[in-house]
Amino acid sequence: MLKNYLKIAVRSLFRHKTYSLINILGLAAGICVSTLILMFVVHEHSYDRFHSRHQDIYRVLGEVKMGDNEFKMNRFAASFAPALLEGIPKVADYVRVLPTYSNAAMADPARKDEAILEKNIMFADPSFFSVFSFPLEKGNPRDALQKPFSMVISERTAVKYFGNTDVIGKALLYEGKHLIQITGVAQDPPSNSSLDFDFVISSGTYPKLGESNRRNWENGGGIFNVYLLLNAGESKELVAQGINRLEALKEGQVGLKPQYTLESLDDMHLGGAFNDADNSKLIPIFAVAAIAILMLALFNYMSLTTARATQRAREVGVRKVVGATRAGLGSQFYMESAMVCAVAFVLGLLMVFYLSQPFYTLLGLTIDTSFVVSPFFLSFLVGLLALTALVAGSYPAFVLSGFAPLEVIKGRFTGSIGGVGVRRVFIVFQFAVSMALIVASLIVREQLSFMQRKELGLNKEQVLSIPVGPSMAANYIPFRNAVRQQAGVSNATFANAGLFKGYNMFFIPNKITKKDISVVQMVVDDQFVKTLGLQWKTLPTVTTGRNLTVLNEMAVTELGIKGDPLGQEIREGLTLDGIVKDFDFSNVQHGGKAMMLSVAGDTTNMLRMQGATRGIMYVRMDGQADIMANVKAIGRLFKKYDLERPFEYYFLDDAFNETFKNEMRLSGMFSVFTVLAIFIACMGLFGLITFTTETRTKEIGIRKILGASAAGIVGMLSREFVVLVLISGVIAMPVAWYFMSHWLEDFAYRISVPLWVHLLTIALMLLITLLTVGFKAVHAATVNPAASLRND
C-alpha cells in the first residue's frame, strides 16, 4: 500500500510540473529562511548549556541605590570570592574572571616588533577549567593556572602564533614587557559561550603587572566577575541571603552597600542584567517572523493543493466506490504532502548551506558547525520537518478525502469544493503579512535615517580616533605635537573615554533636593571643545593654563544650579567654570545625559592624570587632504613614540554608526523577510490565477464570442484578487501601526508613523498583484476562443 501511495505521489508531481514547482519552491524558500532565523533563535537560547554543571553555576551581582537611581554591579574586589567560599558552606567553589575591556598587545618574543592587538584576553583563577567545561587539548586543567605569569591559550591562537598546538612551555610577550608562559591549550570556545577567550592568564599574574594593578588587588577595587559553583540542588535565594548576612561584607566595597543576588549561568546571556541587549530584543521579533514566513509557505501549499481539488475528485470517487476509506485516502494525501515537504526540505537545507554565511554576516553572528550538527539542533530540524508535513497535509487531506463518490463521478460539484472561502482567507493572510512587513521595513529605515541625520551638537566627520595607553604616557605630548604638525591635520585632542563607546559615571547631589544625580565624566585637554566642534553656552573667563570644570546644559538643570552659574560650587572643592551646549556622546536612542568635562590646564602629564591612564586621541582631519595617506603617516609617528603597542584607529563617524547596529540588523532582516513574503505570496497568486484561467477557459471563450473585450476579461479575472489585497490592507495597516508605534517608544528621538508609508504599501501590493495576475490573465484573454471550445 505504501509503495502504491508513493507511486501515485510521484506521478502527480510529474504530471503537474508547474504546480509542483511552485509548491516545492515556495515551501523550500519558507523552510530555508525560517530555518536560518530559528537557527539564530535556538543558538541564542543554547548559550552556556554545554557546561556539565551549568545548572549549578551562578554569577554574583550587586544592586546599589544612589538617589533615585538603581544600578547593578558585576565587578568585585579580589578578596570578595574567597570570603564567600569561607563563610557559606553551600558554595562548592568559585572563579574570579577579569575580562580585559580594551585591546592588549601580544607578541612572539622572537618577533616582538610584530605585536598583535588581542581582545579576547581574561585573567582567571586556577579553578576556571574545573568549574567550566572548556576541555584542554594540551596541559593539566588542575594546575595550568596555578603560578603567576602562566596562561592557557586557545587552539586557534596557538596556530596563529606558532603554526601548531604543541606549544607547552613557550611564552608570549604581554604589552611589550611581561613574558607569560603557555601551560595549556584549550579547545576553541564554542560560539554559544558567554565566556569567549583566546588567552586565559592566571589571576595571580594581575597584581604583578604594575603598581596600579597591585593597588586594585589589595585595596578592594571592583575588578573581578565572580562565578560561584553551588553544591548540587542548592537554592540560589538561600545562598544570596547568606551573602547579604555575611559579616565580612557588611562594609561593602568602596563605601557602597550593595544588595547581593545570584544570576543563573543559563540566564546570563539573554535574561541577565549585563546581557546581550541587542539580541534579546531581536529574538522575539525574529521568532514571530520565522513562524509567519513558514505559515505563509504552508498556506501557499494548502491553497494551491485544494484549488486543484476538482482534478482529483473523480480519482477519489472511483477509489471510494471500490472500497477505499476516508482514513485510507487521507493517508494517501498525507503521503503526497510528506513527499513534497521532504523534497522542499532537502532543497531548503541546500539553500541554508549556501546562504548561511551571508545571513551570519548580515546579523553579525558566528555559529559553529558543531552547533549545526549537534543532536540538539538536528532533532529540532527533524521536528520542524514533521511539523511542516503534518500541517501541510492536514487541510488538503481533509478536503480531498471528503468528496461524495456519486456526486463527483456524475460531475456534480458545489462551488465550495476545494475550499474557495478558505483559500481566500489564505490569500488575505499572505498579503496582510507581506504588507505588515513592508510597513515595518519602511518605518525601521525611516527611524534609522532620522537618527543618522540628527544634529549631535558635535562634528563627527573626518575625525580619526586613536586609542592610546600607558605605554604612550611618557611620549604623549611629543606624539600629539607631531600629529598637529602633520600636513592635512587641523587639530588633535585627548579624552579618557571613547565617544559613542563608553564613559565613566559618578554622582553629585542636587543643590536643592540633595538627591544624588548620575553624571558622566570625561577627562579632556583644552583643545577638546574646539577639535570636536562643541558650542559654548557660557564661556569660561580663563580657557587655558588651569584645570577647568565644565558642565553641559542638562547637568546644570539636573543639579539644580540657579542664577549665575559660573563660580558656583558643584560639590566640595569643585566649582563650575563653563557650560557647553548639550551634545550627544552616547547612543542617541536613549537621549542625552548629564556630563562634566574635567579640562586639564597643563597637558604635560595628561596620561598620568587621575582617570586618564588610557584614552583616545581625536585628530581632526582636513577635508581636502588625502585621508588614508594621513592615517598611514600618523601610524608611522605612533610607532616612533610607542614601541610596545601596534597602531590602531577608527573613525568617529563609524563609532557613531555602530550605535545603530541593532537597528541596521533589524532593517536588513525586515528587508529579507519582506522580499521573501512577497515572493511566496506572488508564487501562490500565480498558481491560483493559472488554475483559475484553466478552469474558466471555456467561460472565457464564450464571453469573447459574445463580444467581451480582452480588457474586460482581464478585469474580471483580476477583480477578486484586488478586493482581497484591499481587505488585507485594512487588516495589516492597523496591526503594523500598533506594533511599530510601540517599537518607536524605545527611542528618545523618534519619528511619527507617516501616512505615506501605509498608502505606498497598499499601492505597491496592488501593483505587484496586478502584474502577477495580469500576466496570466492577458494570456488567457487573448487565446483564440475556437481553441478554448474545440472539445465541446
Side-chain angles (χ1 to χ4, degrees):
M1 183 66 72
L2 189 63
K3 183 179 179 181
N4 184 46
Y5 288 166
L6 192 60
K7 282 183 178 179
I8 294 171
V10 172
R11 288 172 183 170
S12 179
L13 282 177
F14 282 97
R15 185 178 300 120
H16 307 285
K17 296 182 180 64
T18 300
Y19 295 104
S20 299
L21 186 63
I22 290 174
N23 273 332
I24 291 173
L25 285 179
L27 267 179
I31 288 169
C32 169
V33 174
S34 58
T35 299
L36 285 171
I37 300 170
L38 291 173
M39 187 187 300
F40 161 69
V41 173
V42 174
H43 181 266
E44 291 297 302
H45 281 288
S46 71
Y47 260 72
D48 299 316
R49 296 177 188 271
F50 61 89
H51 297 293
S52 60
R53 296 194 61 184
H54 63 91
Q55 70 277 8
D56 297 321
I57 301 174
Y58 296 87
R59 180 171 65 171
V60 182
L61 299 177
E63 297 180 359
V64 181
K65 187 170 184 179
M66 301 288 290
D68 292 333
N69 302 300
E70 292 184 359
F71 301 93
K72 285 187 180 290
M73 52 191 292
N74 66 339
R75 300 173 68 180
F76 302 93
S79 59
F80 179 78
L84 300 188
L85 182 64
E86 181 179 350
I88 302 177
K90 299 179 189 301
V91 176
D93 207 346
Y94 68 83
V95 182
R96 295 171 299 184
V97 176
L98 171 58
T100 54
Y101 295 98
S102 58
N103 294 340
M106 284 285 188
D108 183 340
R111 302 189 302 274
K112 60 185 301 182
D113 58 335
E114 299 177 9
I116 301 173
L117 288 170
E118 301 283 2
K119 62 178 181 178
N120 290 336
I121 301 174
M122 60 177 60
F123 295 86
D125 288 323
S127 55
F128 182 84
F129 291 102
S130 57
V131 171
F132 298 112
S133 301
F134 295 111
L136 293 192
E137 291 294 318
K138 308 282 186 180
N140 187 335
R142 289 188 297 275
D143 59 18
L145 299 177
Q146 288 288 348
K147 297 179 181 179
F149 296 101
S150 62
M151 69 177 173
V152 173
I153 65 175
S154 64
E155 289 181 293
R156 61 196 175 206
T157 302
V159 173
K160 176 179 175 180
Y161 281 87
F162 302 102
N164 59 74
T165 59
D166 190 17
V167 296
I168 301 296
K170 295 182 180 180
L172 289 174
L173 193 63
Y174 176 77
E175 289 286 59
K177 298 178 181 177
H178 309 284
L179 277 176
I180 303 181
Q181 187 179 38
I182 299 170
T183 53
V185 178
Q187 291 181 9
D188 294 339
S191 57
N192 55 350
S193 173
S194 295
L195 296 170
D196 188 20
F197 62 84
D198 284 315
F199 306 83
V200 182
I201 304 173
S202 61
S203 57
T205 307
Y206 178 79
K208 300 181 181 297
L209 294 178
E211 183 61 23
S212 62
N213 287 21
R214 186 188 64 79
R215 287 198 302 268
N216 279 339
W217 181 278
E218 295 177 353
N219 298 338
I223 52 178
F224 284 104
N225 292 333
V226 174
Y227 297 88
L228 301 181
L229 175 65
L230 305 187
N231 294 318
E234 293 291 356
S235 166
K236 71 172 185 177
E237 288 79 12
L238 293 178
V239 174
Q241 291 173 15
I243 296 175
N244 285 304
R245 288 195 299 265
L246 204 60
E247 289 296 326
L249 304 177
K250 285 294 183 182
E251 294 304 316
Q253 295 191 111
V254 200
L256 302 177
K257 296 183 179 180
Q259 184 74 18
Y260 298 103
T261 59
L262 296 185
E263 175 185 56
S264 169
L265 184 66
D266 292 346
D267 298 333
M268 198 171 72
H269 178 64
L270 293 177
F274 299 90
N275 65 339
D276 187 338
D278 287 346
N279 283 357
S280 62
K281 289 179 181 179
L282 290 178
I283 283 175
I285 297 174
F286 284 6
V288 170
I291 294 171
I293 287 171
L294 186 58
M295 293 307 294
L296 281 177
L298 292 174
F299 284 2
N300 193 56
Y301 171 80
M302 289 188 284
S303 179
L304 288 176
T305 303
T306 55
R308 295 179 53 246
T310 55
Q311 298 184 4
R312 304 291 301 273
R314 284 187 173 81
E315 173 194 342
V316 172
V318 171
R319 285 179 174 275
K320 282 193 171 184
V321 168
V322 298
T325 64
R326 183 166 187 177
L329 289 169
S331 299
Q332 174 191 333
F333 294 126
Y334 254 120
M335 173 67 71
E336 293 183 17
S337 296
M339 183 177 174
V340 171
C341 288
V343 173
F345 208 82
V346 171
L347 182 58
L349 291 184
L350 286 174
M351 294 166 67
V352 168
F353 176 78
Y354 287 106
L355 296 177
S356 57
Q357 195 52 56
F359 177 78
Y360 296 161
T361 302
L362 178 65
L363 281 185
L365 296 177
T366 300
I367 298 180
D368 291 338
T369 304
S370 58
F371 169 78
V372 177
V373 299
S374 66
F376 177 74
F377 189 70
L378 290 178
S379 61
F380 167 79
L381 288 180
V382 171
L384 183 62
L385 173 59
L387 178 64
T388 301
L390 181 66
V391 174
S394 59
Y395 184 67
F398 174 78
V399 171
L400 296 176
S401 64
F403 292 143
L406 292 178
E407 294 295 317
V408 295
I409 290 175
K410 293 176 181 178
R412 292 201 291 265
F413 300 95
T414 64
S416 62
I417 283 183
V420 175
V422 175
R423 289 202 304 277
R424 288 172 178 163
V425 171
F426 288 166
I427 293 173
V428 168
F429 174 80
Q430 288 178 319
F431 278 95
V433 170
S434 301
M435 294 167 83
L437 286 172
I438 292 174
V439 170
S441 182
L442 290 174
I443 290 175
V444 170
R445 287 178 177 273
E446 282 296 301
Q447 175 64 21
L448 182 59
S449 177
F450 172 76
M451 291 190 296
Q452 290 174 322
R453 295 193 310 266
K454 183 183 179 296
E455 183 61 45
L456 301 178
L458 60 80
N459 184 1
K460 68 182 187 308
E461 306 300 328
Q462 296 173 326
V463 175
L464 185 70
S465 307
I466 307 171
V468 293
S471 55
M472 179 65 85
N475 296 322
Y476 170 71
I477 299 302
F479 171 59
R480 183 203 63 188
N481 292 340
V483 169
R484 286 178 176 173
Q485 294 169 9
Q486 179 73 30
V489 172
S490 299
N491 207 345
T493 187
F494 176 87
N496 72 322
L499 294 166
F500 309 116
K501 284 186 173 288
Y503 44 81
N504 301 316
M505 183 181 294
F506 70 112
F507 297 89
I508 301 176
N510 181 284
K511 295 176 71 68
I512 299 172
T513 65
K514 306 304 179 184
K515 289 183 178 180
D516 287 324
I517 304 298
S518 61
V519 179
V520 174
Q521 183 200 29
M522 291 182 69
V523 180
V524 301
D525 67 15
D526 58 4
Q527 295 298 304
F528 183 80
V529 172
K530 179 181 178 181
T531 304
L532 274 301
L534 307 185
Q535 300 296 314
W536 288 105
K537 181 179 175 78
T538 305
L539 192 69
T541 54
V542 178
T543 56
T544 59
R546 69 179 181 86
N547 295 342
L548 301 175
T549 299
V550 176
L551 298 179
N552 67 353
E553 296 171 288
M554 182 173 288
V556 172
T557 301
E558 293 191 1
L559 293 176
I561 298 174
K562 305 293 184 181
D564 184 5
L566 297 190
Q568 288 197 38
E569 187 176 65
I570 300 173
R571 65 178 184 180
E572 186 176 355
L574 197 65
T575 58
L576 179 59
D577 297 299
I579 302 171
V580 293
K581 293 182 179 180
D582 289 335
F583 65 98
D584 288 298
F585 53 88
S586 184
N587 192 329
V588 298
Q589 175 179 342
H590 303 124
K593 292 180 174 65
M595 166 172 271
M596 182 177 78
L597 298 176
S598 298
V599 184
D602 180 6
T603 57
T604 304
N605 295 316
M606 189 67 200
L607 284 185
R608 296 190 177 94
M609 289 179 58
Q610 180 181 2
T613 54
R614 63 174 67 240
I616 306 291
M617 174 188 281
Y618 293 105
V619 181
R620 167 71 61 189
M621 313 291 281
D622 186 343
Q624 304 302 317
D626 186 334
I627 299 295
M628 295 315 299
N630 280 346
V631 170
K632 291 178 181 178
I634 292 172
R636 290 191 291 271
L637 288 174
F638 185 93
K639 292 178 181 178
K640 175 181 176 182
Y641 290 102
D642 191 333
L643 303 178
E644 297 177 8
R645 290 175 61 86
F647 175 63
E648 63 174 325
Y649 69 92
Y650 60 89
F651 287 97
L652 188 58
D653 54 356
D654 290 336
F656 173 73
N657 290 333
E658 184 69 14
T659 64
F660 305 124
K661 179 179 67 175
N662 194 42
E663 286 70 34
M664 288 180 176
R665 292 162 71 188
L666 189 62
S667 176
M669 287 307 299
F670 266 132
S671 298
V672 172
F673 298 159
T674 302
V675 171
L676 181 72
I678 293 173
F679 170 74
I680 293 174
C682 287
M683 288 192 71
L685 196 59
F686 184 79
L688 284 175
I689 189 61
T690 300
F691 176 76
T692 299
T693 55
E694 287 178 359
T695 56
R696 301 178 72 176
T697 298
K698 293 180 176 61
E699 176 192 344
I700 293 171
I702 293 171
R703 286 179 178 271
K704 290 193 70 175
I705 289 174
L706 295 177
S709 65
I713 292 173
V714 170
M716 175 193 71
L717 294 173
S718 306
R719 189 177 301 113
E720 178 184 357
F721 296 103
V722 170
V723 171
L724 292 177
V725 168
L726 293 175
I727 293 173
S728 301
V730 171
I731 295 172
M733 295 304 107
V735 174
W737 177 87
Y738 174 80
F739 283 105
M740 295 313 297
S741 295
H742 277 276
W743 177 75
L744 288 170
E745 288 177 359
D746 290 337
F747 297 89
Y749 310 108
R750 56 182 178 267
I751 63 171
S752 299
V753 179
L755 178 62
W756 67 262
V757 167
H758 301 292
L759 298 177
L760 177 63
T761 299
I762 294 173
L764 181 62
M765 290 309 299
L766 283 173
L767 177 62
I768 292 172
T769 300
L770 290 173
L771 289 175
T772 305
V773 173
F775 174 78
K776 197 67 182 177
V778 168
H779 178 266
T782 55
V783 171
N784 188 339
S788 303
L789 301 173
R790 184 173 298 147
N791 295 328
D792 276 19

